[in-house]
Amino acid sequence: MNKIISALQEKNFENIGIYASIIMFSMSNLGFIRMILAYLGVEKNITIVATVIFCGLDICIFAMYMCSMQSVNFKKNSVVLLMINFICILPYLIEGLWYNCAQYIVFAIPFSLTAAYIYNKQCYNKYFEYYSNVSKFVIIIPVLYIAIIFSGKAVVNGVTTINEFSYGDFAYAFLPFMTADLVNFITDRKKKNLIRSCVYYIAIIYTGTRSAIICGLFAILILIALYIKKSNLSLKVLIKYALISTGIICAALIFIFLAAPEGSRLNVVKGDFLYEFHKNSGLVVYDVKGKNYDYIENVFRKNIVSSTLTKEETEAILKDDIKKGTGKYIIVDDDVREEAMQYELRYNRSNLWKAAFDEFKKNILIGNGPLSFQNKYVGTYPHNIILEVMCDFGLVGVTVIIYILVIAIKQFLKSISDFKNNKWKIYVFVSAYLPQFLLYTTFYLNGILLFCFMTIILPFTSTLCLKKEREFRNAKNNGY
């Protein structure tokens, strides 16, 4: 086995694997590869070709992970790695969703291998150095993206649209490089890292992806706090720098928001950043079950939640009730009947969050089962991991998530106590994704979430094992 590891290292598979993991972190799916292939003129079997390329990255990452076999805790950490991945893939195995199992193997497991490799090798500095190396070349992409937006080209329905890669894909492709460059700036104080991170964040803002904008701002605030802490400033100077930093950030954000070019999706959201949370259809109907008048979206949601059918099936029943005027579920006036017949509950965050919480209330303790929300509301998810876990796993699942979060906070605070332990870099990196988990993504098939879990759990389980081993040796020495 040592010969195999030596051969992999001699062939630079370890270094190649690190670069592959960095590229994978920004792509996270086939969209970017499909976009490149489309521009290269590849038309046939584009998804298959993209999948093969992605699998090539996976192989490099697996080879990289194998290079950490000589680390002290490799076997124990591998057991943890297998257990977590088995738990994550189990819902698909139980339901026989083999396509989803394949997706998990290709798109999620490599993230866990990357986190395990970084911890096994304790190569936090090396990982972010490699990020800096890649960022030198990747920076051209946000520059081009901003240029395309300002040029007014590739605008569809008022938003710059680039083949196969959505505005959200671009935003979350830039976010890890932005965060990594900020982390490197805290370490080496090189202005080029700060400049690059600013360019990445401007590009993120112009994508108009609200959750990514908040993620970036969250990362900036964390790193400003760490920068000030690391500088060992007096309280007076600390307050001064904090006020100046806040003022500069606010002024810059206001300027960027006001200067948004026509093709930026920022124009869609900047006038009403929380537009999903205070708009309703304005159509009032009579809720037969509730015996009161209410907005149609509330009546639809109540009936969908109480039903065991999918959202689409329940909506078909409600529309048929409105059309025939049977009054079993909804009663409407004749002058709005046609409008009510066309209504469908929109998949915006307001409706999704309310639906997820209402579904949770049906089975508070253990939830409704894995994938229950996605199976009922086909084609979407709550866009909030906490609510999705509440719906599917109840209070038991949420307790586990909160426990992991508490462990993460303790580890982060410990790592920044003196900055001698470079683990703080990876904790800051994963912290930047917290707003994404609460506003954008799903609990399932989530490689970035898996990376964060592994980053938190591996140090915890290793410390726990060492503690148990010490207790066992002490008991043995004492004759117990």
Side-chain angles (χ1 to χ4, degrees), residues 66-134:
M66 294 302 293
C67 290
S68 70
M69 283 187 67
Q70 293 173 327
S71 62
V72 177
N73 294 318
F74 178 82
K75 291 182 179 179
K76 295 175 184 176
N77 292 339
S78 293
V79 172
V80 176
L81 180 74
L82 289 171
M83 286 177 61
I84 291 175
N85 279 297
F86 177 73
I87 292 169
C88 292
I89 203 172
L90 188 60
Y92 305 117
L93 293 173
I94 292 172
E95 297 200 18
L97 302 172
W98 308 118
Y99 177 72
N100 294 102
C101 289
Q103 282 185 308
Y104 183 85
I105 292 169
V106 174
F107 300 115
I109 286 180
F111 284 87
S112 65
L113 293 174
T114 301
Y117 166 81
I118 294 170
Y119 180 72
N120 287 342
K121 299 279 283 190
Q122 296 288 297
C123 58
Y124 304 103
N125 278 338
K126 181 179 180 180
Y127 188 67
F128 284 96
E129 285 172 7
Y130 277 53
Y131 246 110
S132 183
N133 293 338
V134 177

Side-chain angles (χ1 to χ4, degrees), residues 2-15 63-64 66-70 117 121 126:
N2 289 334
K3 291 181 179 179
I4 295 174
I5 296 170
S6 299
L8 289 172
Q9 291 173 335
E10 285 176 8
K11 297 295 183 180
N12 280 324
F13 269 98
E14 184 172 9
N15 295 334
M64 172 194 73
M66 294 302 293
C67 290
S68 70
M69 283 187 67
Q70 293 173 327
Y117 166 81
K121 299 279 283 190
K126 181 179 180 180

Side-chain angles (χ1 to χ4, degrees), residues 31-32 38 44 46 49 61 73 101 131 140 186 207 222 253 303 307 330 368 381 401 416 428 447 472 478:
F32 184 79
K44 293 182 179 180
I46 192 168
V49 175
I61 292 167
N73 294 318
C101 289
Y131 246 110
I140 191 64
I186 297 294
T207 66
I222 291 174
L253 288 175
N303 282 280
S307 173
I330 300 173
N368 302 298
Y381 44 86
I401 296 295
I416 64 171
V428 170
F472 177 77
N478 293 328

Side-chain angles (χ1 to χ4, degrees), residues 53-297:
I53 294 172
F54 207 98
C55 288
L57 296 176
D58 291 347
I59 292 169
C60 293
I61 292 167
F62 179 75
M64 172 194 73
Y65 175 70
M66 294 302 293
C67 290
S68 70
M69 283 187 67
Q70 293 173 327
S71 62
V72 177
N73 294 318
F74 178 82
K75 291 182 179 179
K76 295 175 184 176
N77 292 339
S78 293
V79 172
V80 176
L81 180 74
L82 289 171
M83 286 177 61
I84 291 175
N85 279 297
F86 177 73
I87 292 169
C88 292
I89 203 172
L90 188 60
Y92 305 117
L93 293 173
I94 292 172
E95 297 200 18
L97 302 172
W98 308 118
Y99 177 72
N100 294 102
C101 289
Q103 282 185 308
Y104 183 85
I105 292 169
V106 174
F107 300 115
I109 286 180
F111 284 87
S112 65
L113 293 174
T114 301
Y117 166 81
I118 294 170
Y119 180 72
N120 287 342
K121 299 279 283 190
Q122 296 288 297
C123 58
Y124 304 103
N125 278 338
K126 181 179 180 180
Y127 188 67
F128 284 96
E129 285 172 7
Y130 277 53
Y131 246 110
S132 183
N133 293 338
V134 177
S135 182
K136 294 173 185 176
F137 301 97
V138 173
I139 189 63
I140 191 64
I141 299 177
V143 170
L144 288 174
Y145 183 78
I146 294 170
I148 291 170
I149 289 176
F150 273 94
S151 72
K153 296 179 180 179
V155 176
V156 179
N157 296 324
V159 177
T160 298
T161 305
I162 299 177
N163 186 29
E164 296 285 351
F165 216 54
S166 70
Y167 58 86
D169 289 333
F170 273 109
Y172 283 108
F174 299 149
L175 182 64
F177 287 103
M178 172 203 152
T179 308
D181 275 331
L182 283 173
V183 168
N184 286 326
F185 174 71
I186 297 294
T187 305
D188 55 30
R189 308 295 173 95
K190 291 181 180 178
K191 292 181 180 179
K192 61 182 180 182
N193 289 324
L194 182 60
I195 293 170
R196 283 203 303 261
S197 65
C198 289
V199 173
Y200 285 122
Y201 192 46
I202 292 170
I204 289 170
I205 292 173
Y206 282 154
T207 66
T209 308
R210 292 169 295 171
S211 57
I213 294 171
I214 296 170
C215 283
L217 183 59
F218 189 63
I220 290 169
L221 294 175
I222 291 174
L223 286 156
I224 287 175
L226 291 181
Y227 183 86
I228 294 172
K229 184 182 187 304
K230 196 174 182 182
S231 300
N232 294 319
L233 302 171
S234 65
L235 181 61
K236 184 178 179 180
V237 177
L238 188 151
I239 294 171
K240 178 183 176 181
Y241 276 149
L243 291 173
I244 292 172
S245 300
T246 303
I248 292 172
I249 291 170
C250 290
L253 288 175
I254 290 170
F255 175 77
I256 292 169
F257 269 68
L258 292 176
E262 184 179 348
S264 171
R265 186 178 177 272
L266 182 62
N267 293 311
V268 178
V269 300
K270 72 178 182 180
D272 193 355
F273 206 69
L274 303 175
Y275 63 86
E276 296 169 306
F277 294 95
H278 53 77
K279 288 187 178 180
N280 55 60
S281 64
L283 180 58
V284 177
V285 299
Y286 185 76
D287 179 6
V288 176
K289 287 185 177 181
K291 297 181 180 180
N292 66 308
Y293 285 95
D294 201 349
Y295 290 114
I296 192 170
E297 55 262 40

